[in-house]
Amino acid sequence: MAYMAVYIVMPKLGLTMKEGTLTKWLKKVGDKVSKGEEVAEVSTEKITNVVESPADGIVGKILVSEGAVVPVATPIGIILAEGEKLPVEDEAGPANTSPSTVAVQADRLETPAVEKNQEKFIKATPLARKIAKENNVDLSLIAGTGPGGRITEEDVRKYIENKLNVKKDSPAVVEEDTGSVKKVPMDNMRRVIAERMKNSWNSAPHVTENIKVDVTELVKFREELNKFADEKFTYTDLIAKACVLAIKRNPVINWSIEGEYIIQHEKINLGIAVALENGLIVPVIKDAGSKSLTEISKMIKDLSARARENRLSPEEIKDGTFTITNLGMYGIDSFTPIINPPESAILGVNTIYKEPAVVEDSISIRQVMMLSLSFDHRLIDGATAAKFLMDLKRILENPVMLAL
């Protein structure tokens, strides 16, 4: 009989994606599926996406367990035609087919029909067969790179190495409950956050400068704008636009370090930190320097909403050059935000509160806010950061500049 099968593979969800985590299987072995039906959930860089079945059929085998981290294009499961059975080890499989090709196209794999008494034949070198047998490896799951698709010793060793890396990199999904303490593994989002924050703190000497801003006029400006706006402007919208204007006056704030080089970014890609139920994500407004206040406001609303609904693409959370994180709604007066690598600065926005102040030789109640700028002291000097904050303060205290 002809052997027909389709690999379900770890998809490439972005241009820079190299690996993904299989977070959950939505189907089990034996389940009937239709082409395009969701069969699994995978995640990478704090984004979760679904994997769709590449063909009609039956889930014949699950190759990767939940929680495993595998490279892009790695087969994670097999779809069989209805009534078809998966062959045992060393029986005919989808020989002469490349999983990397299958990963991109997810097309049906088909090998020429062979007689039943010939089904034990798979193109493989004797040494490749020997190594596969010693390591209990199913040759039908390996794509041959030798002449005519023959499986070589290197193919088998690479397959074994990838499987070992999966086991090494994937945390055991085990919970321990001793009564008063419960130990659970990190989910993928928390693992990425932990790794990035640790790397940031260890690699960049953080310095934080704070500045008090009188936002009385900004509050009035926002109230007037919202009388005529179809969609209400938030303080984050106004501060984001102000940051763009201040960065244009202080471009080093937008630069980054790569090894021994300084990367001078021409475009301002503004990241807006969005709190989620189980973590944090930073969608990016690309080329914010070319956008109006209204455009920035609409993009913040759209990206934030889709971030909370887990509908962002990997491309929408990469290539940021400066980040804003706002804790003002929680009543925070001041904090030290951690730089979002590879960026060199991040602005922390705090709560607005009232205090007495001297204005033109008289005491009045003003609305004020602290801004907290953390920066990488390898690249940004204290005076440079202070000038950026002074420019930002001047813009926010004279909000008509936001409309220019």
Side-chain angles (χ1 to χ4, degrees):
M1 60 175 287
Y3 180 83
M4 301 180 67
V6 180
Y7 283 134
I8 309 169
V9 299
M10 175 61 68
K12 187 177 180 66
L13 302 173
L15 295 176
T16 60
M17 178 179 170
K18 295 181 180 179
E19 63 182 17
T21 300
L22 198 155
T23 53
K24 185 179 181 181
W25 278 104
L26 305 177
K27 300 293 181 181
K28 60 182 184 298
V29 173
D31 284 353
K32 186 175 181 179
V33 294
S34 301
K35 184 176 181 179
E37 187 175 353
E38 297 177 359
V39 294
E41 291 181 356
V42 297
S43 58
T44 178
E45 286 294 322
K46 302 191 274 189
I47 293 290
T48 300
N49 282 269
V50 294
V51 179
E52 298 178 350
S53 175
D56 297 336
I58 304 293
V59 178
K61 189 172 184 178
I62 289 176
L63 303 175
V64 175
S65 60
E66 293 180 354
V69 180
V70 297
V72 165
T74 299
I76 60 175
I78 297 176
I79 300 295
L80 299 175
E82 195 166 355
E84 182 182 16
K85 292 184 179 180
L86 195 71
V88 297
E89 180 177 304
D90 285 346
E91 287 191 347
N96 302 325
T97 57
S98 167
S100 59
T101 302
V102 179
V104 178
Q105 302 296 336
D107 289 335
R108 175 170 292 277
L109 306 181
E110 182 174 359
T111 56
V114 294
E115 296 296 326
K116 191 174 184 72
N117 60 4
Q118 294 179 312
E119 285 188 345
K120 289 205 176 231
F121 177 72
I122 286 183
K123 283 181 161 185
T125 65
L127 184 54
R129 289 182 179 278
K130 179 176 182 293
I131 296 172
K133 187 173 182 180
E134 289 174 350
N135 291 273
N136 196 29
V137 169
D138 184 351
L139 283 173
S140 69
L141 300 177
I142 301 177
T145 60
R150 185 181 299 276
I151 299 171
T152 66
E153 172 194 0
E154 184 180 354
D155 295 331
V156 179
R157 293 194 185 282
K158 187 175 293 186
Y159 178 85
I160 295 170
E161 182 182 351
N162 285 339
K163 290 192 70 174
L164 290 175
N165 286 337
V166 168
K167 292 179 181 179
K168 178 182 69 176
D169 295 338
S170 304
V173 185
V174 176
E175 295 188 7
E176 297 179 16
D177 192 345
T178 61
S180 61
V181 177
K182 188 175 184 180
K183 182 179 179 180
V184 297
M186 289 184 181
D187 61 22
N188 189 62
M189 174 172 284
R190 181 52 55 188
R191 182 174 62 85
V192 171
I193 292 173
E195 181 179 335
R196 289 176 66 84
M197 292 301 95
K198 178 182 176 183
N199 290 342
S200 175
W201 190 258
N202 289 339
S203 63
H206 282 57
V207 176
T208 302
E209 293 180 353
N210 297 289
I211 194 168
K212 184 185 292 186
V213 181
D214 185 333
V215 293
T216 305
E217 296 303 317
L218 185 72
V219 172
K220 294 178 182 177
F221 180 74
R222 175 175 173 266
E223 290 174 350
E224 288 299 313
L225 278 179
N226 286 340
K227 288 179 181 178
F228 307 100
D230 294 331
E231 295 187 24
K232 304 301 181 184
F233 289 91
T234 67
Y235 288 113
T236 300
D237 300 338
L238 303 178
I239 293 169
K241 179 61 176 178
C243 282
V244 169
L245 298 177
I247 289 173
K248 287 182 176 180
R249 292 169 169 80
N250 304 272
V252 67
I253 300 295
N254 198 53
W255 297 353
S256 60
I257 289 179
E258 186 177 295
E260 297 182 357
Y261 294 90
I262 295 174
I263 309 301
Q264 300 181 351
H265 304 285
E266 293 184 3
K267 293 183 178 180
I268 301 170
N269 295 336
L270 201 61
I272 305 295
V274 178
L276 305 177
E277 185 177 345
N278 62 332
L280 181 78
I281 196 166
V282 184
V284 177
I285 300 172
K286 303 293 177 63
D287 195 14
S290 67
K291 294 176 171 55
S292 67
L293 173 60
T294 299
E295 290 172 323
I296 289 175
S297 175
K298 288 181 178 179
M299 291 196 70
I300 290 176
K301 289 177 176 62
D302 173 61
L303 290 169
S304 298
R306 290 193 290 112
R308 296 186 181 97
E309 296 167 0
N310 190 35
R311 294 193 296 111
L312 292 176
S313 72
E315 299 302 313
E316 291 174 314
I317 61 170
K318 64 189 289 283
D319 297 332
T321 57
F322 182 83
T323 293
I324 298 172
T325 177
N326 189 345
L327 295 181
M329 66 286 293
Y330 300 107
I332 300 301
D333 292 325
S334 178
F335 69 107
T336 302
I338 297 180
I339 299 166
N340 185 23
E343 299 167 18
S344 295
I346 180 171
L347 183 74
V349 178
N350 299 287
T351 192
I352 296 175
Y353 60 95
K354 295 180 179 180
E355 70 173 22
V358 177
V359 180
E360 296 181 352
D361 295 330
S362 63
I363 297 176
S364 63
I365 301 300
R366 308 293 290 181
Q367 299 196 72
V368 298
M369 172 178 62
M370 297 291 293
L371 295 176
S372 306
L373 180 74
S374 291
F375 56 93
D376 185 344
H377 212 346
R378 295 176 302 169
L379 176 62
I380 302 173
D381 297 328
T384 303
K387 184 178 181 301
F388 167 78
L389 284 174
M390 288 176 63
D391 286 337
L392 184 58
K393 172 184 170 76
R394 185 167 61 89
I395 294 167
L396 293 174
E397 291 183 344
N398 298 274
V400 67
M401 297 175 68
L402 298 174
L404 297 179

